[in-house]
Amino acid sequence: MSVFAAFAFVLLLMALGRSLAWRRLVPDSAPDALNIVVLYVCMPASILLQVPKLQFASAAFGVVLVPWLLLAASTVLLLGAARLLRLQRPDTAVLLLEVPLGNTSFLGYALIPVLASPAAMPFAVLYDQFGSFLILSTFGLTVIAIYSGGARPTPGVVMQRVLRFPPFLALVFALTLMPAEPPAAIVAVLQQLAGAMLPLVGLALGMQLKLRLPRSQLLPLALGLAGKLFVMPALAWLLCLALGLGPDARAAVVLESAMPPMITAAALAAMARLSPELGSALVGYGVVLSMASLPLWRWWLG
């Protein structure tokens, strides 16, 4: 599938999902159900297919390092911008979550093979699991606790979240017990399960799409989208050059960093009553705008 065809397919799926939700042909819980299938079935299948092919070298450690460096840079920049622009605390909390954390699993796993190559997928999995997921489980929960007035998560709570996360369990199995060349029958089953990810993600995104936002939050929205879709991947590209990452690893890192804001982070912020409208708008507009920005980053990578 070409890049144009892939994005056209995603937009079609989102339109179908939006139409199903708008006409109330599906229950409000439908996107959650689709996301659970992706989380518990499609993503682990993709990980079991791709990770055993990974040859661990300095590139793998560089891929894992980049999202944490981006987190540090985004935190410093956003806290400075929040003070300068006098942003509301809930808006600042959402930006701290959504700028460094992208949709690296649901959309990333589905689009990286199209935007880059299948050889880039193992690096994308590393970026997602050892970067985005661990950042959400540690930094993300801490931000929510600080800005919502709750108790900070203990190391035990963080560890429980990590060990109960299905894709992370699949990652551990893939790194330890999964053969690099499993039987053809197992490969065929995993390919079918992993291949269902893009249709399910596209429909779920369309069902959840919300674009309305109060005027007072337009500035944080613009700041968040600019940071997520352009500043973060630009910094990631520079870090890849500094770390000497190869073409496949560089493509995975830059494109994963350019993915639109993370749905899960927005949902957690909304549950804590931290600017739910801003979080939804960042996700909605981010998905739509990424249909243009991601091909630009692919072109930049050559």
Side-chain angles (χ1 to χ4, degrees):
M1 184 184 295
S2 67
V3 174
F4 176 80
F7 279 105
F9 186 43
V10 171
L11 290 174
L12 174 62
L13 290 168
M14 290 174 61
L16 290 173
R18 181 67 270 173
S19 177
L20 291 172
W22 177 63
R23 299 185 63 186
R24 299 192 176 278
L25 296 176
V26 293
D28 294 339
S29 60
D32 293 333
L34 294 179
N35 287 333
I36 288 174
V37 173
V38 171
L39 187 68
Y40 280 80
V41 179
C42 302
M43 285 175 56
S46 180
I47 290 171
L48 292 175
L49 271 176
Q50 302 296 337
V51 169
K53 304 173 185 176
L54 184 66
Q55 298 293 324
F56 276 92
S58 58
F61 296 103
V63 168
V64 173
L65 181 61
V66 170
W68 292 92
L69 293 176
L70 293 178
L71 172 66
S74 65
T75 300
V76 172
L77 292 173
L78 287 170
L79 289 177
R83 171 174 288 188
L84 181 65
L85 300 173
R86 298 182 179 180
L87 299 182
Q88 298 294 320
R89 279 179 58 83
D91 294 346
T92 301
V94 171
L95 291 177
L96 287 171
L97 291 171
E98 293 287 45
V99 172
L101 291 172
N103 207 331
T104 53
S105 52
F106 289 175
L107 271 183
Y109 285 19
L111 292 179
I112 290 296
V114 178
L115 290 168
S117 69
M121 266 303 295
F123 296 109
V125 171
L126 287 179
Y127 186 103
D128 173 62
Q129 292 296 298
F130 289 107
S132 299
F133 169 62
L134 289 182
I135 289 172
L136 177 65
S137 300
T138 54
F139 175 80
L141 294 181
T142 302
V143 167
I144 290 174
I146 290 174
Y147 283 84
S148 66
R152 298 192 184 190
T154 64
V157 171
V158 172
M159 185 59 66
Q160 287 181 16
R161 285 180 59 88
V162 171
L163 294 179
R164 292 176 180 176
F165 192 56
F168 187 80
L169 296 177
L171 178 65
V172 173
F173 184 85
L175 290 172
T176 56
L177 300 176
M178 189 73 176
E181 296 184 6
I186 293 179
V187 172
V189 172
L190 292 176
Q191 287 175 337
Q192 291 293 325
L193 294 175
M197 189 183 319
L198 184 57
L200 294 178
V201 168
L203 288 172
L205 285 173
M207 293 175 188
Q208 294 172 299
L209 192 62
K210 295 180 181 179
L211 301 178
R212 295 181 180 178
L213 192 69
R215 285 181 177 270
S216 62
Q217 292 182 323
L218 292 180
L219 178 59
L221 174 66
L223 182 64
L225 291 176
K228 185 70 200 75
L229 301 179
F230 297 102
V231 177
M232 289 297 101
L235 291 176
W237 179 72
L238 292 174
L239 288 171
C240 288
L241 295 181
L243 294 169
L245 298 184
D248 290 327
R250 184 165 62 247
V253 167
V254 173
L255 291 172
E256 284 283 62
S257 69
M259 290 294 159
M262 182 186 282
I263 295 174
T264 306
L268 290 176
M271 289 172 62
R273 298 182 180 179
L274 294 171
S275 294
E277 298 90 355
L278 177 61
S280 296
L282 281 168
V283 171
Y285 282 106
V287 169
V288 173
L289 293 176
S290 70
M291 298 295 107
S293 62
L294 284 170
L296 288 176
W297 284 111
R298 178 185 183 274
W299 170 80
W300 178 259
L301 290 166

